[in-house]
Amino acid sequence: MNYTFGLIGSGNMGGAIARAASRSVQDGILSDHDQEKAKALAVQLHFSAGDSQEAAKESRYLFLGVKPHLMATVLEGIAPALEQRETPPILVSMAAGLTIAQLQAMAGKAYPVIRIMPNTPVSVGQGVILYTASPEATPDMVEGFRSILSQSGKLYPIEESLMDVGAAVSGCGPAYAYLVMDALADGGVACGLPRPDAIRYAAQTLLGAAQMVLETGKHPDQLKNEVCSPGGSTIQGVRTLEQRGVRAAMMDAVIAACEKNAALGG
């Protein structure tokens, strides 16, 4: 095998994974149905570019950045190449909703499979990757996978039965955070802040708040209470958010995403 890391599907999520992997490995191959896209990204990351057949034949870890509804077609197309290999590939799927058993059935064989749910901040080394491995994936294989993505952020093992809900929080969560960030900035602009400043302040505030939770170990509600001085402005802002149902809306967003994740594998 010529490559430690291979990727089929160089879209937004696949591209983010490739960027994260490029910080840890030098030998990678990227492919996509749009080969020009794969070539452009490969040049940026100092990887090679090729078609899906080459990636399937030559990659030790074959990452599948393929939409769930296209996965069966892609795996069927590369199944002969996988079968001809001297050593089995380690398939790493980021397709929401598709179980390890479904992926192995689509590939036509019980290959080692690591199912992951990453989020786009992996591309800047601050992401979350949830993962679960099939019984065929040995501890050494899993450790090799973790090594490839060691510069992506945080990697958390999770039971496969919890993957859909975990993905609804961490995989979809950046979109919710960006929505909140944009709204905070809009509020600042409405009160007179220049937009670039408002966005910068909102982004750093969310970053700092997240770091407080991770480093102090305090519950978010406790940290929220510590900001809310009696009779102060923050508690009035929190009251307004509660009146508008922001907490319930966030909960409903996670539930809706979880249900959609489960439906994608149906």
Side-chain angles (χ1 to χ4, degrees):
M1 291 169 294
N2 293 325
Y3 305 102
T4 300
F5 172 82
L7 173 69
I8 297 177
S10 303
N12 290 336
M13 195 64 257
I17 285 290
R19 292 181 188 281
S22 70
R23 299 191 187 94
S24 301
V25 299
Q26 286 71 51
D27 54 325
I29 181 171
L30 310 182
S31 67
D32 193 85
H33 69 278
D34 181 348
Q35 284 291 6
E36 292 306 312
K37 178 192 294 185
K39 288 177 182 177
L41 183 59
V43 168
Q44 291 179 33
L45 303 181
H46 305 289
F47 281 163
S48 299
D51 60 24
S52 60
Q53 298 296 321
E54 186 178 359
K57 290 177 184 177
E58 300 294 341
S59 304
R60 174 63 170 155
Y61 289 84
L62 182 62
F63 284 69
L64 302 168
V66 179
K67 299 292 186 184
H69 69 282
L70 298 175
M71 185 65 78
T73 300
V74 170
L75 285 176
E76 182 180 352
I78 63 173
L82 298 178
E83 181 67 27
Q84 292 168 9
R85 293 170 52 123
E86 293 183 4
T87 58
I90 301 160
L91 302 178
V92 184
S93 169
M94 59 193 86
L98 293 181
T99 67
I100 287 172
Q102 288 174 309
L103 292 161
Q104 290 175 327
M106 291 174 184
K109 192 172 181 179
Y111 294 112
V113 172
I114 301 174
R115 183 181 168 195
I116 69 173
M117 186 48 60
N119 61 18
T120 52
V122 299
S123 65
V124 294
Q126 293 293 331
V128 171
I129 296 179
L130 308 178
Y131 71 91
T132 188
S134 72
E136 296 79 14
T138 67
D140 284 347
M141 291 176 181
V142 174
E143 188 55 37
F145 150 78
R146 288 180 58 90
S147 178
I148 289 172
L149 295 177
S150 61
Q151 301 301 309
S152 64
K154 301 295 184 182
L155 290 93
Y156 299 110
I158 189 171
E159 293 181 18
E160 187 171 24
S161 62
L162 296 175
M163 184 68 82
D164 288 340
V165 63
V169 174
S170 63
C172 304
Y176 312 150
Y178 299 141
L179 194 66
V180 170
M181 193 184 303
D182 191 37
L184 279 172
D186 277 349
V189 171
C191 293
L193 280 176
R195 184 168 295 278
D197 289 341
I199 293 172
R200 191 178 303 115
Y201 302 162
Q204 183 61 42
T205 297
L206 289 178
L207 178 63
Q211 200 67 24
M212 284 284 287
V213 172
L214 294 174
E215 292 196 6
T216 67
K218 293 181 179 180
H219 192 282
D221 189 61
Q222 180 181 350
L223 290 169
K224 179 263 293 178
N225 290 343
E226 291 175 2
V227 183
C228 293
S229 303
S233 56
T234 304
I235 191 63
Q236 292 302 323
V238 169
R239 179 178 65 86
T240 300
L241 291 172
E242 295 287 10
Q243 287 176 334
R244 305 296 172 84
V246 170
R247 187 193 301 263
M250 284 290 184
M251 292 171 65
D252 286 347
V254 172
I255 293 167
C258 180
E259 292 173 345
K260 180 62 176 181
N261 283 339
L264 288 172

